Amino acid sequence: MQIGIIGLGRMGSNISRRLMKAGHSCVVFDANAAPREALAKEGATGTTSLAEMVKSLGEKPRVLWVMLPAGRITEETVEGLGGLLEPGDIIIDGGNSYYKDDVRRARTLAEKKIRYVDCGTSGGVWGLERGYCMMIGGTKEAVNHLDPIFAALAPGLGTIPRTPGREGEDPRAERGYIHAGPSGAGHFVKMVHNGIEYGLMQAYAEGFDILRNKDSKSLPEDERFELNLPDIAEVWRRGSVISSWLLDLSAAALVKDPQLEQFSGFVEDSGEGRWTIEAAIEEAVPAEVLSSALYARFRSRQDHTFGEKILSAMRFGFGGHVEAHRPAAAKPNDKP
Amino acid sequence: MQIGIIGLGRMGSNISRRLMKAGHSCVVFDANAAPREALAKEGATGTTSLAEMVKSLGEKPRVLWVMLPAGRITEETVEGLGGLLEPGDIIIDGGNSYYKDDVRRARTLAEKKIRYVDCGTSGGVWGLERGYCMMIGGTKEAVNHLDPIFAALAPGLGTIPRTPGREGEDPRAERGYIHAGPSGAGHFVKMVHNGIEYGLMQAYAEGFDILRNKDSKSLPEDERFELNLPDIAEVWRRGSVISSWLLDLSAAALVKDPQLEQFSGFVEDSGEGRWTIEAAIEEAVPAEVLSSALYARFRSRQDHTFGEKILSAMRFGFGGHVEAHRPAAAKPNDKP
Amino acid sequence: MQIGIIGLGRMGSNISRRLMKAGHSCVVFDANAAPREALAKEGATGTTSLAEMVKSLGEKPRVLWVMLPAGRITEETVEGLGGLLEPGDIIIDGGNSYYKDDVRRARTLAEKKIRYVDCGTSGGVWGLERGYCMMIGGTKEAVNHLDPIFAALAPGLGTIPRTPGREGEDPRAERGYIHAGPSGAGHFVKMVHNGIEYGLMQAYAEGFDILRNKDSKSLPEDERFELNLPDIAEVWRRGSVISSWLLDLSAAALVKDPQLEQFSGFVEDSGEGRWTIEAAIEEAVPAEVLSSALYARFRSRQDHTFGEKILSAMRFGFGGHVEAHRPAAAKPNDKP
Amino acid sequence: MQIGIIGLGRMGSNISRRLMKAGHSCVVFDANAAPREALAKEGATGTTSLAEMVKSLGEKPRVLWVMLPAGRITEETVEGLGGLLEPGDIIIDGGNSYYKDDVRRARTLAEKKIRYVDCGTSGGVWGLERGYCMMIGGTKEAVNHLDPIFAALAPGLGTIPRTPGREGEDPRAERGYIHAGPSGAGHFVKMVHNGIEYGLMQAYAEGFDILRNKDSKSLPEDERFELNLPDIAEVWRRGSVISSWLLDLSAAALVKDPQLEQFSGFVEDSGEGRWTIEAAIEEAVPAEVLSSALYARFRSRQDHTFGEKILSAMRFGFGGHVEAHRPAAAKPNDKP
């Protein structure tokens, strides 16, 4: 199948590669020449504008995969394609768009009979090799038409043991992709996936924090342990209830650098964690853990919140406590 | 009534003063000479050891108020008094002891027929003038015997409007002290009081944080406001649902220093906030807000948690994200 | 001053009354005849349509106070007024609108030179008597023009002690109203006020929960206390750090009905608590306590979440635990 | 190697079986005859008292594995063994004891030169087949002596991919067991493991809750999705960042019963989740997510908290809101 790929960052480039390896034909575009030329050497057709790309796509309906950062650039690209494509053509947004934007775009493009498919794509730097896990929103017809693309990108059955009782269920899920529902449903499911990801990560983070601070001088001496975190992460990978891919990554990081000294502890967050909380609030679902995981990242990026100063100010007001920043050596939980 | 006061920090000294003002006779002791001598000039009898104090107390049963930091020093003092006193004498622990220690001490002293009363005392630097709010645990007989002391320390009816429907209820509550129950009950109620205090403080802190960051450059320009926090705190004191003494203190702090620049944002916590969470867990009571308030203080005392580094390490593992500490100027929520 | 009041629920009616008492002239409108006629008897001019109201307002610029539930009805009313008013006229939205709606409406109405003022109004059923605490957004000119209205509605200086150091500050805050900033700022400040309110309420709720369950049979016998909650609430009003108006209300409720048997524990939430969290997320402010307070309300309205069933299903998966709903008598924290 | 196994519940019986399969010789004891006799048929030596078991163990030093519920019965058994054993003998507590009890027991038994080893054992109903993940505390000599036992119980290298960079590290971790540190360290690490487990489970639970309630009638129609949860759980197992064993279990449960109707949503918790929070508090580690996960379980076991009634009472106090339990059909998040 022929497909146009717009946006050749690591994700877009690797998606192109995985598709070509499966025998698909890729027309690619990026504002930067380097990734365009790299992929051209591997068999893709490089183009230098959206218009040129659209012209280069001979198969009808045309299929275009937009793989750009969520937000303005994706918005403008989808809008631009809207002016260039013909009825029946399909735009896939494979990035991390907000699902409400998908709902709106699908509605707008439907007026021109252009089909819009949103595809939440998980896999990160490992996708080229492991395959991408995809959650897709759009009409049945469009999603079915694109099946060869999704099948090629997905991990496939692989060696992961089958879930008992799945006989007779949609076989696509086992191969690593699903048609989640109408426009927006794909990105919605991916959004919640990322929300869960934050929660899982924070659960491990707190657990390792408790392990590491178990040697704190503030504890009674015979309840103080110096624990080997790399070994603990490793053993939990082996038959324990909390084994997971995120734990595999933690084990790999800890064995390399047990103090994680190369990391500052400043943690970014992306839109999806935030939108997950907004969705929870819209649905009145209590989402304590997912919210706390997001807030821990917010907090990690500040020296002190203004709120903390308010606390100090009140304490001063009622108790006369003056709280100075203690010298580093005396900080609780601080390693010598 | 004659009473011995052990521990002449700000609380112990002011308690002595308020008692003397009400006509009670105070025998005082502290390891430091200065507060001892200061109170002697105001009419108290200074003593230089527990033994001397016990001897100086002529009225029987003897009444001794221990006003020391919770922990070892209070423990040792109560133990020491246990060896010096006679059946019927009463020890009051007016500090912030863990209520399970009260239960144990009361049981031990009861073997010698010495009576132990725990008194959670709220009022801080304002107590001398406003009076102290007291929550008392012990036997009915002991607490009743001490009533003149508690009545003198309590704020009394004052100008606070009466709660409708309290006719026929125990009049002590309206005067600012209660007999909460058996040994430990006083400190338990005071402990929960402090747990609530943390939660209330954190609620205001987060709210003011949201107000202050409403001018963040990351927001759309016409949704950005530069808000006057001193005026907001003031107006909320006036007929709003969230008026409180803690808000009064916040308003006073903000009008003096709207950026709260004199406060670092490093916030201590005391045992009571922690014990409240332990009590919640023992009772299986979900205490989300009280826990979060405690954790915000823990977090305020660290540059970065080890947990945050784990997060960064995982993100690096699956996405190749490298997270450096951004330069100060680019930090979110940071004021220029 | 002449003013039109649209929406005569409890808030709108009482606002009309307080304004008339201060000598202002009220033209009123409501879809229901009853409150309209009631106010007419007290001196207001009743009208039966927006158009009639606008005609009845002789003073220019006209001033109209919309006091309707946030959402569609307020939106439609403001839009309707937009078609009836003249340049210079002022619409006040005194309800609980989302501040982003204010920003948009002010912009739209500005094209017709109609002035829009948003006024967050706190005071509930007590406002008629205590006065309303108001947080106002709009242009300086419009807000200044309306000063007699706000001054009449506000509590005024009253008996609340002055915050030390406010000399030279805007005197309106002390009288119970502020000009918070441009359009939207009033409702934004009121929104955060309500977010804080949720947090404060939840802090007290958790504290009282811990007190009440201290008699749980699961605890060691000598650490079990049967506490008198009405007395505890009362004593905390008297010189303690956590005294507040919300505590006054709790004390009044508890003395009347110590088990609070008339309340089911099903707790509603309004838009403001939710929007506060959205604002926190937009600003990247960690708002643990305010979020938890909101989620506790969400949870209070469900028998069981689907999430809890997922937990049970996983536990069954790894441990073979079968979790049936225990009979009521055995439920933890359940009173006999 | 010869070993005595005390407590033949599912865990104790399966541990005996796995050890016998590996060629070890098991002397077993349980108060119930049935499991004792079942194991006797499979080659174990059944005994009917601790004293008989100790006599039956011919190899010196004797090795005894206690596999009983944490708490009084384990305590009494360990104490009983203390009176029967000889210097050099080893007691292993393989249950879920509180690590502070281990510290104390090890100290007491050391006076008689009896060695005490704590072993946190993860694996649940799957352990017999998959092997047990073990975290061990005790002296180096004792743990080394027991190595054949641990090696037999552990999963071994299996097919789990090796963590890059583990060359030169302790090889036991890769085989599924570690010597975590001195007495107590094994159960401490297992305790934190379970704390993390709660957090992970709650993250998935909240995510699935948000997915399931996305068809809520309270949402705009084109933002409402009916999502297929079994397919979503399955697809996330395939190349996504959040794949894990707990997700495998969720996928299996959901495909069998997509509404999870067989589960009430009443969720138990065990000591380890609670002790993890206590450890966090002792170390001043902010553990928001682990705490929230615990509290969600507390809340799941109550119809309404007393705290929620306090909220309703306050709302009634300031707003006159009367909150009745809505009829089931109108409950938010409720499925028709």
Side-chain angles (χ1 to χ4, degrees), chain D residues 119-154:
Chain D
C119 175
T121 315
S122 181
V125 293
W126 301 82
L128 175 57
E129 181 193 329
R130 298 205 324 175
Y132 299 92
C133 171
M134 287 166 295
M135 295 138 263
I136 306 156
T139 63
K140 198 172 169 181
E141 293 65 34
V143 175
N144 284 350
H145 180 80
L146 298 168
D147 195 71
I149 298 296
F150 296 129
L153 289 174

Side-chain angles (χ1 to χ4, degrees), chain A residues 300-317:
Chain A
S300 81
R301 303 197 299 255
Q302 298 185 64
D303 284 341
H304 278 292
T305 65
F306 186 71
E308 289 158 10
K309 298 187 179 197
I310 288 275
L311 296 180
S312 289
M314 287 187 200
R315 278 168 62 79
F316 182 75

Side-chain angles (χ1 to χ4, degrees), chain B residues 178-197:
Chain B
I178 56 169
H179 179 198
S183 289
H187 277 143
F188 183 82
V189 174
K190 173 58 162 47
M191 174 195 87
V192 175
H193 167 279
N194 285 32
I196 293 173
E197 176 190 307

Side-chain angles (χ1 to χ4, degrees), chain A residues 304-305 308-309 312 323-325, chain B residues 260-267:
Chain A
H304 278 292
T305 65
E308 289 158 10
K309 298 187 179 197
S312 289
E323 303 189 276
H325 208 309
Chain B
L260 301 179
E261 274 165 12
Q262 64 169 310
F263 299 102
S264 67
F266 179 105
V267 191

